Amino acid sequence: MSSTRKPVHLAVYDTLADWETGHTTAYLARAGYEIRTVGPGREAVRSIGGLQVLPDLALEELSPGDSSLLILPGADLWDTSDDLAPFARKAREFLDAGTPVAAICGATAGLAREGLLDDRDHTGAVSFYLAATGYRGGERYVDTDAVTDGKLITAGPTEPVAFAREVFRLLGVYEGEVLDAWYRLFHDSDAEAYAVLQKAAAS
C-alpha cells in the first residue's frame, strides 16, 4: 500500500445496514486501502444484522484531511431520530474540503435534510422517499442505480454493487473494461467477466 494513501472511513452506528457496503470495503481493502470505522463515539454499536462493531475512532476525531473517502451506510436511525445528523454535518465538512463522500439508502435522506442534495445530481431509494425530507433538490433526482456528482456518490438500498462500482471509479481502483467486468461479475453473475478480472490481476 502506498504510504501516502489515506484511509477510507466507514461510518458505523446502531441499526446500520451491514450488507450495503460489504462489496465496497472488501475490494477497497484488497486494493490496498486501510478501512477505519468511525462511530458516534468509541463505544460499540450493533448493526441491523446483529453484528457488534467497535469503532476505530469517534466522529469528532475525524478530519477530511486524513481521509480518502467517508462512506455512510443506511440505518433505521436515519429516519427515526436525529441521532445521525452529526454524520450528515461531517459529510458537509468533507465535501467542502474536497474529500469524497459516498452515501447509500437512508444516508441519502440524511444528506437531503442537511441540504447537500439540493444542488447535486443524486439518487436514493425512490424519489418520494427523499421528497418526504422537505429538501429542495427534487429536480436533481436521477432514477438510476447509483449517481456520482463531483465528489458525492449516492445509491439506493438495493444497489450495493453499483454503489461499489461508483466508489471504485471515483478513487481509480478499477477503470474501463476492468471496472465493467467487476460490475458484470457481481451484479449480473456474468462468468465471462471473471476472465477479464483474472487477466487484469495477472498483468
Side-chain angles (χ1 to χ4, degrees), residues 118-147:
D118 288 349
D119 56 1
R120 293 177 172 92
D121 290 344
H122 61 275
T123 193
V126 69
S127 60
F128 57 79
Y129 168 67
L130 292 181
T133 67
Y135 84 133
R136 296 178 294 177
E139 293 184 354
R140 302 295 294 268
Y141 184 88
V142 183
D143 188 11
T144 191
D145 53 11
V147 171

Short mmCIF file of all heavy atoms in Angstrom, two decimals, residues 118-147:
data_model
loop_
_atom_site.label_atom_id
_atom_site.label_comp_id
_atom_site.label_asym_id
_atom_site.label_seq_id
_atom_site.Cartn_x
_atom_site.Cartn_y
_atom_site.Cartn_z
N ASP A 118 -29.48 19.44 -2.59
CA ASP A 118 -30.28 20.47 -3.24
C ASP A 118 -29.72 20.89 -4.59
O ASP A 118 -30.47 21.23 -5.51
CB ASP A 118 -30.39 21.71 -2.33
CG ASP A 118 -31.29 21.47 -1.13
OD1 ASP A 118 -32.00 20.44 -1.10
OD2 ASP A 118 -31.29 22.32 -0.21
N ASP A 119 -28.39 20.88 -4.72
CA ASP A 119 -27.76 21.36 -5.94
C ASP A 119 -26.81 20.34 -6.55
O ASP A 119 -25.87 20.69 -7.25
CB ASP A 119 -27.05 22.69 -5.70
CG ASP A 119 -26.01 22.59 -4.58
OD1 ASP A 119 -25.84 21.48 -4.01
OD2 ASP A 119 -25.37 23.61 -4.28
N ARG A 120 -27.04 19.05 -6.27
CA ARG A 120 -26.22 17.98 -6.84
C ARG A 120 -27.12 16.89 -7.41
O ARG A 120 -28.16 16.57 -6.83
CB ARG A 120 -25.32 17.34 -5.77
CG ARG A 120 -24.22 18.24 -5.22
CD ARG A 120 -23.45 17.50 -4.12
NE ARG A 120 -22.26 18.24 -3.68
CZ ARG A 120 -22.26 19.10 -2.67
NH1 ARG A 120 -23.38 19.33 -2.00
NH2 ARG A 120 -21.15 19.71 -2.32
N ASP A 121 -26.73 16.33 -8.55
CA ASP A 121 -27.43 15.15 -9.04
C ASP A 121 -27.28 14.03 -8.03
O ASP A 121 -26.21 13.85 -7.43
CB ASP A 121 -26.86 14.70 -10.40
CG ASP A 121 -27.20 15.67 -11.52
OD1 ASP A 121 -28.10 16.51 -11.33
OD2 ASP A 121 -26.54 15.58 -12.57
N HIS A 122 -28.34 13.24 -7.86
CA HIS A 122 -28.32 12.21 -6.82
C HIS A 122 -29.41 11.19 -7.09
O HIS A 122 -30.29 11.40 -7.92
CB HIS A 122 -28.53 12.84 -5.44
CG HIS A 122 -29.86 13.54 -5.32
ND1 HIS A 122 -30.03 14.85 -5.75
CD2 HIS A 122 -31.07 13.13 -4.88
CE1 HIS A 122 -31.29 15.20 -5.55
NE2 HIS A 122 -31.94 14.18 -5.03
N THR A 123 -29.36 10.10 -6.33
CA THR A 123 -30.43 9.12 -6.33
C THR A 123 -30.62 8.63 -4.90
O THR A 123 -29.98 9.10 -3.97
CB THR A 123 -30.16 7.96 -7.31
OG1 THR A 123 -31.34 7.20 -7.49
CG2 THR A 123 -29.01 7.08 -6.84
N GLY A 124 -31.52 7.67 -4.74
CA GLY A 124 -31.82 7.12 -3.42
C GLY A 124 -32.78 5.97 -3.57
O GLY A 124 -32.90 5.38 -4.65
N ALA A 125 -33.49 5.65 -2.51
CA ALA A 125 -34.42 4.53 -2.55
C ALA A 125 -35.49 4.75 -3.62
O ALA A 125 -35.79 3.88 -4.43
CB ALA A 125 -35.06 4.32 -1.18
N VAL A 126 -36.08 5.94 -3.60
CA VAL A 126 -37.12 6.35 -4.55
C VAL A 126 -37.33 7.84 -4.35
O VAL A 126 -37.05 8.38 -3.28
CB VAL A 126 -38.42 5.54 -4.31
CG1 VAL A 126 -39.08 5.93 -2.99
CG2 VAL A 126 -39.39 5.66 -5.47
N SER A 127 -37.80 8.52 -5.36
CA SER A 127 -37.87 9.98 -5.30
C SER A 127 -38.74 10.48 -4.16
O SER A 127 -38.39 11.45 -3.47
CB SER A 127 -38.38 10.54 -6.64
OG SER A 127 -39.67 10.05 -6.93
N PHE A 128 -39.90 9.83 -3.91
CA PHE A 128 -40.79 10.36 -2.88
C PHE A 128 -40.25 10.12 -1.47
O PHE A 128 -40.65 10.79 -0.53
CB PHE A 128 -42.22 9.83 -3.03
CG PHE A 128 -42.37 8.33 -3.03
CD1 PHE A 128 -42.34 7.62 -1.84
CD2 PHE A 128 -42.57 7.65 -4.22
CE1 PHE A 128 -42.50 6.25 -1.85
CE2 PHE A 128 -42.73 6.27 -4.23
CZ PHE A 128 -42.70 5.57 -3.04
N TYR A 129 -39.34 9.16 -1.33
CA TYR A 129 -38.68 8.96 -0.03
C TYR A 129 -37.85 10.19 0.32
O TYR A 129 -37.91 10.70 1.44
CB TYR A 129 -37.80 7.70 -0.09
CG TYR A 129 -36.86 7.54 1.08
CD1 TYR A 129 -37.33 7.31 2.37
CD2 TYR A 129 -35.48 7.60 0.89
CE1 TYR A 129 -36.47 7.15 3.44
CE2 TYR A 129 -34.60 7.45 1.96
CZ TYR A 129 -35.10 7.22 3.23
OH TYR A 129 -34.24 7.06 4.28
N LEU A 130 -37.08 10.68 -0.64
CA LEU A 130 -36.30 11.88 -0.39
C LEU A 130 -37.18 13.13 -0.32
O LEU A 130 -36.91 14.04 0.47
CB LEU A 130 -35.22 12.05 -1.46
CG LEU A 130 -34.11 11.00 -1.46
CD1 LEU A 130 -33.09 11.30 -2.55
CD2 LEU A 130 -33.41 10.94 -0.11
N ALA A 131 -38.24 13.15 -1.11
CA ALA A 131 -39.14 14.31 -1.08
C ALA A 131 -39.74 14.51 0.31
O ALA A 131 -40.01 15.64 0.73
CB ALA A 131 -40.24 14.14 -2.12
N ALA A 132 -39.93 13.40 1.02
CA ALA A 132 -40.53 13.48 2.36
C ALA A 132 -39.63 14.21 3.35
O ALA A 132 -40.10 14.62 4.43
CB ALA A 132 -40.84 12.08 2.88
N THR A 133 -38.36 14.39 3.02
CA THR A 133 -37.46 15.14 3.91
C THR A 133 -37.70 16.63 3.83
O THR A 133 -37.19 17.39 4.67
CB THR A 133 -35.98 14.88 3.55
OG1 THR A 133 -35.68 15.45 2.26
CG2 THR A 133 -35.67 13.38 3.54
N GLY A 134 -38.42 17.08 2.78
CA GLY A 134 -38.65 18.50 2.59
C GLY A 134 -37.52 19.21 1.89
O GLY A 134 -37.48 20.45 1.86
N TYR A 135 -36.60 18.45 1.32
CA TYR A 135 -35.45 19.08 0.66
C TYR A 135 -35.86 19.76 -0.64
O TYR A 135 -36.98 19.58 -1.13
CB TYR A 135 -34.33 18.07 0.46
CG TYR A 135 -34.40 17.18 -0.78
CD1 TYR A 135 -33.27 17.00 -1.58
CD2 TYR A 135 -35.56 16.49 -1.14
CE1 TYR A 135 -33.30 16.18 -2.69
CE2 TYR A 135 -35.60 15.67 -2.25
CZ TYR A 135 -34.47 15.52 -3.02
OH TYR A 135 -34.49 14.71 -4.14
N ARG A 136 -34.95 20.52 -1.21
CA ARG A 136 -35.26 21.32 -2.40
C ARG A 136 -34.57 20.79 -3.66
O ARG A 136 -34.50 21.48 -4.66
CB ARG A 136 -34.84 22.77 -2.17
CG ARG A 136 -35.63 23.45 -1.05
CD ARG A 136 -35.16 24.87 -0.81
NE ARG A 136 -33.79 24.88 -0.30
CZ ARG A 136 -33.09 25.99 -0.05
NH1 ARG A 136 -33.64 27.18 -0.27
NH2 ARG A 136 -31.86 25.91 0.41
N GLY A 137 -34.11 19.54 -3.59
CA GLY A 137 -33.34 19.01 -4.72
C GLY A 137 -34.08 18.03 -5.59
O GLY A 137 -33.45 17.28 -6.34
N GLY A 138 -35.39 18.00 -5.52
CA GLY A 138 -36.17 17.02 -6.27
C GLY A 138 -35.89 17.01 -7.76
O GLY A 138 -35.90 15.95 -8.41
N GLU A 139 -35.63 18.17 -8.33
CA GLU A 139 -35.37 18.25 -9.77
C GLU A 139 -34.02 17.64 -10.14
O GLU A 139 -33.78 17.34 -11.31
CB GLU A 139 -35.41 19.70 -10.24
CG GLU A 139 -36.81 20.32 -10.16
CD GLU A 139 -36.86 21.72 -10.73
OE1 GLU A 139 -35.77 22.25 -11.09
OE2 GLU A 139 -37.96 22.29 -10.80
N ARG A 140 -33.16 17.41 -9.16
CA ARG A 140 -31.85 16.82 -9.43
C ARG A 140 -31.84 15.31 -9.17
O ARG A 140 -30.80 14.67 -9.31
CB ARG A 140 -30.77 17.49 -8.55
CG ARG A 140 -30.64 19.00 -8.72
CD ARG A 140 -30.16 19.40 -10.11
NE ARG A 140 -28.80 18.97 -10.37
CZ ARG A 140 -27.71 19.72 -10.13
NH1 ARG A 140 -27.84 20.92 -9.59
NH2 ARG A 140 -26.50 19.26 -10.44
N TYR A 141 -33.00 14.75 -8.80
CA TYR A 141 -33.09 13.31 -8.56
C TYR A 141 -32.99 12.57 -9.89
O TYR A 141 -33.65 12.91 -10.86
CB TYR A 141 -34.41 12.96 -7.86
CG TYR A 141 -34.51 11.49 -7.50
CD1 TYR A 141 -34.02 11.02 -6.29
CD2 TYR A 141 -35.06 10.56 -8.39
CE1 TYR A 141 -34.10 9.68 -5.95
CE2 TYR A 141 -35.14 9.22 -8.06
CZ TYR A 141 -34.65 8.78 -6.84
OH TYR A 141 -34.72 7.45 -6.53
N VAL A 142 -32.17 11.50 -9.90
CA VAL A 142 -31.98 10.68 -11.10
C VAL A 142 -32.45 9.27 -10.77
O VAL A 142 -31.97 8.66 -9.80
CB VAL A 142 -30.51 10.67 -11.54
CG1 VAL A 142 -30.36 9.87 -12.83
CG2 VAL A 142 -29.98 12.09 -11.72
N ASP A 143 -33.35 8.76 -11.57
CA ASP A 143 -33.90 7.41 -11.32
C ASP A 143 -32.97 6.36 -11.94
O ASP A 143 -33.20 5.88 -13.04
CB ASP A 143 -35.31 7.30 -11.91
CG ASP A 143 -36.01 6.01 -11.51
OD1 ASP A 143 -35.48 5.31 -10.62
OD2 ASP A 143 -37.06 5.71 -12.09
N THR A 144 -31.91 6.04 -11.22
CA THR A 144 -30.92 5.07 -11.70
C THR A 144 -30.30 4.38 -10.50
O THR A 144 -30.64 4.68 -9.35
CB THR A 144 -29.86 5.77 -12.57
OG1 THR A 144 -29.05 4.79 -13.22
CG2 THR A 144 -28.99 6.70 -11.74
N ASP A 145 -29.38 3.44 -10.77
CA ASP A 145 -28.85 2.63 -9.67
C ASP A 145 -27.93 3.39 -8.74
O ASP A 145 -27.99 3.22 -7.51
CB ASP A 145 -28.17 1.36 -10.21
CG ASP A 145 -27.11 1.64 -11.27
OD1 ASP A 145 -26.73 2.82 -11.46
OD2 ASP A 145 -26.66 0.67 -11.91
N ALA A 146 -27.06 4.22 -9.27
CA ALA A 146 -26.13 5.00 -8.45
C ALA A 146 -25.71 6.22 -9.24
O ALA A 146 -25.66 6.17 -10.48
CB ALA A 146 -24.92 4.16 -8.05
N VAL A 147 -25.39 7.29 -8.54
CA VAL A 147 -25.05 8.56 -9.19
C VAL A 147 -23.79 9.14 -8.55
O VAL A 147 -23.66 9.13 -7.32
CB VAL A 147 -26.21 9.57 -9.07
CG1 VAL A 147 -25.77 10.95 -9.55
CG2 VAL A 147 -27.43 9.09 -9.85
#
